[in-house]
Amino acid sequence: MKPGIQLSDHFGYRRLIRFTMPSILMMIFTSIYGVVDGFFVSNFVGKTPFAAVNFIMPFLMVVGALGFMFGTGGSALIARTMGEGKQEKAREIFSLLVYATVISGVVIAALSIIFLRPIAVFLGADGSMLADCVLYGRIILLALPFLMLQYAFSSFMITAEKPKLGLSVTVIAGITNMVGDFVFMAVLDWGIIGAALATAIGQVIGGMIPLIYFSRKNPSCLRIGRPKWDSKAILRTCTNGSSELMSNISMSLIGMLYNAQLMKYAGENGVAAYGTIMYVNFIFLAVFIGYSTGVAPIISFHYGAANTGEVKGLLRRSTVIVLIVSLMMFIISEVLATPLAAIFVSYDGVLLEMTVHAFTIYAVSFLFAGIAIFGSAFFTALNDGLTSALISFLRTLLFQSAAVMIMPLVWDLDGIWYSVVAAEIMAVLATVAFLLFKRKKYGY
């Protein structure tokens, strides 16, 4: 992004892509270093630890989801407040939300560490997988406050008109994680402990750098100061960000449900195949999530400034961008299904064949996922947390849970892979219905 682009500017296609590109790259890179984690665990530690990491990861994502809530919900409120011309109020809300993120992270981490073993047992882990789940999870949870800060600042830095800073922080944290993976697992042979340590250290760095930056005098429009209690701001943030909280929790719960169904229909191979697909899925969906995160503060600012024409243009141009990228993703995933799967499971022919077959089915969902992801973020940006949460709830919880429970009864294992396609199609229909229903209220 060239210097000088501000939230108050007019955004055509070129400027929109330039402003959101750091956010897109940030999300992609975050997903890539998650993939590298999976590669090292799968190839240097083994299939059971790889399955264990994928088994406990949904729960770890649930407990970190509050960071997304504070970040996305708070950014929508801060950007809208800035659009209304209330700069000092915006800085006060920012400071309050940073402190709230830290305190929440410490409390949730402590409780999760204490109850992790019974939670893993409840989810269905046993034997060596249970031991690996608990060991990996407790190390990761030590860094939870920093992970939540990293999630929150990923949105705050865009609102502060510093998207490049967010990308730089993510790259530094990601490289640290990947180097740690190589050193701890490939060189020192620390196994799953090494995997957890590498991830935790990266998360600490990802949370600390922006915390230090915004705690000091800086050229952005935001800075952490003494917090001023504002219950209405906290409530609005939680309401605005409820869709992102719902989305992350729902995705994690669905991940647990998929794992349980796959253990029933295909055993550990099914869980490992699903884990592989999820790594690729995270990278592809990161493009939609990154774009939506990047464009949301722009929408919030212009909504706060009552620039309805700009909001309408942002919706139209964003829809075109999302549809084009969706088609590209589908084509790429179908063509590269085998080499992508082979990165993780080439050592097992049966598992590789299962994964490739599953991925060619799952890839159809990329044609539809982007619209619902952007639609939810669009309503969050308009400070309409209820509608945004409804879209997220329908897409990530209701539709997918119903599909993954019902469709395998008819199509067995293939029913599990087809379920996400059916859920994404229904989510698009729901999103379009909400956009049409709300168009007069928001003037887009």
Side-chain angles (χ1 to χ4, degrees), residues 3 15 43 70 82 199 239 254 261 375 427 432:
R15 181 167 293 186
N43 289 276
F70 285 125
M82 290 165 58
T199 299
T239 303
I254 288 298
Q261 286 287 78
V432 171

Side-chain angles (χ1 to χ4, degrees), residues 67-190:
F68 279 117
M69 182 187 73
F70 285 125
T72 56
S75 290
L77 180 58
I78 293 167
R80 178 180 176 179
T81 304
M82 290 165 58
E84 293 170 347
K86 304 173 183 176
Q87 297 294 331
E88 185 58 35
K89 180 66 175 178
R91 283 189 285 269
E92 290 177 357
I93 295 172
F94 171 68
S95 300
L96 175 63
L97 295 179
V98 171
Y99 280 95
T101 302
V102 174
I103 294 171
S104 300
V106 171
V107 173
I108 294 172
L111 293 173
S112 299
I113 288 172
I114 294 171
F115 294 106
L116 186 60
R117 178 175 289 274
I119 289 172
V121 171
F122 174 77
L123 294 175
D126 58 15
S128 58
M129 180 185 281
L130 173 61
D132 286 338
C133 285
V134 174
L135 181 59
Y136 180 85
R138 283 178 172 166
I139 295 173
I140 293 293
L141 286 167
L142 292 173
L144 181 65
F146 299 98
L147 175 64
M148 288 175 59
L149 280 173
Q150 184 178 359
Y151 285 162
F153 278 122
S154 66
S155 293
F156 290 149
M157 286 183 282
I158 299 168
T159 305
E161 299 172 341
K162 295 292 180 181
K164 280 189 174 181
L165 175 62
L167 176 59
S168 299
V169 170
T170 300
V171 170
I172 293 170
I175 291 175
T176 301
N177 188 342
M178 290 186 284
V179 171
D181 282 333
F182 175 76
V183 173
F184 296 152
M185 283 185 277
V187 178
L188 299 178
D189 195 25
W190 286 359

Side-chain angles (χ1 to χ4, degrees), residues 294-311:
V295 76
I298 305 172
I299 296 170
S300 297
F301 184 95
H302 286 286
Y303 176 63
N307 296 330
T308 54
E310 190 69 25
V311 174

Side-chain angles (χ1 to χ4, degrees), residues 98-349:
V98 171
Y99 280 95
T101 302
V102 174
I103 294 171
S104 300
V106 171
V107 173
I108 294 172
L111 293 173
S112 299
I113 288 172
I114 294 171
F115 294 106
L116 186 60
R117 178 175 289 274
I119 289 172
V121 171
F122 174 77
L123 294 175
D126 58 15
S128 58
M129 180 185 281
L130 173 61
D132 286 338
C133 285
V134 174
L135 181 59
Y136 180 85
R138 283 178 172 166
I139 295 173
I140 293 293
L141 286 167
L142 292 173
L144 181 65
F146 299 98
L147 175 64
M148 288 175 59
L149 280 173
Q150 184 178 359
Y151 285 162
F153 278 122
S154 66
S155 293
F156 290 149
M157 286 183 282
I158 299 168
T159 305
E161 299 172 341
K162 295 292 180 181
K164 280 189 174 181
L165 175 62
L167 176 59
S168 299
V169 170
T170 300
V171 170
I172 293 170
I175 291 175
T176 301
N177 188 342
M178 290 186 284
V179 171
D181 282 333
F182 175 76
V183 173
F184 296 152
M185 283 185 277
V187 178
L188 299 178
D189 195 25
W190 286 359
I192 200 167
I193 293 177
L197 284 174
T199 299
I201 292 171
Q203 291 171 354
V204 170
I205 290 175
M208 279 299 298
I209 293 176
L211 183 64
I212 293 171
Y213 177 85
F214 285 105
S215 296
R216 303 163 62 89
K217 187 176 181 180
N218 65 79
S220 80
C221 52
L222 297 177
R223 182 181 178 184
I224 300 172
R226 180 175 296 179
K228 182 178 180 180
W229 178 251
D230 187 338
S231 58
K232 289 184 179 179
I234 292 288
L235 180 61
R236 288 177 182 173
T237 295
C238 294
T239 303
N240 290 342
S242 61
S243 60
E244 278 64 32
L245 178 64
M246 171 64 68
S247 179
N248 281 276
I249 291 177
S250 298
M251 287 172 62
S252 299
L253 293 174
I254 288 298
M256 298 175 194
L257 182 56
Y258 267 81
N259 284 331
Q261 286 287 78
L262 286 164
M263 285 293 287
K264 177 182 177 181
Y265 283 90
E268 284 189 8
N269 272 2
V271 174
Y274 179 65
T276 299
I277 294 171
M278 285 301 97
Y279 283 124
V280 180
N281 180 65
F282 290 154
I283 293 176
F284 283 6
L285 294 192
V287 177
F288 298 129
I289 296 170
Y291 177 80
S292 299
T293 302
V295 76
I298 305 172
I299 296 170
S300 297
F301 184 95
H302 286 286
Y303 176 63
N307 296 330
T308 54
E310 190 69 25
V311 174
K312 183 186 296 184
L314 287 165
L315 174 60
R316 183 178 64 253
R317 286 184 282 274
S318 294
T319 301
V320 172
I321 291 171
V322 168
L323 289 175
I324 292 173
V325 173
S326 298
L327 180 60
M328 292 172 60
M329 283 184 181
F330 169 69
I331 295 172
I332 291 171
S333 57
E334 290 291 346
V335 172
L336 299 180
T338 298
L340 288 172
I343 293 174
F344 300 93
V345 294
S346 59
Y347 55 81
D348 188 321

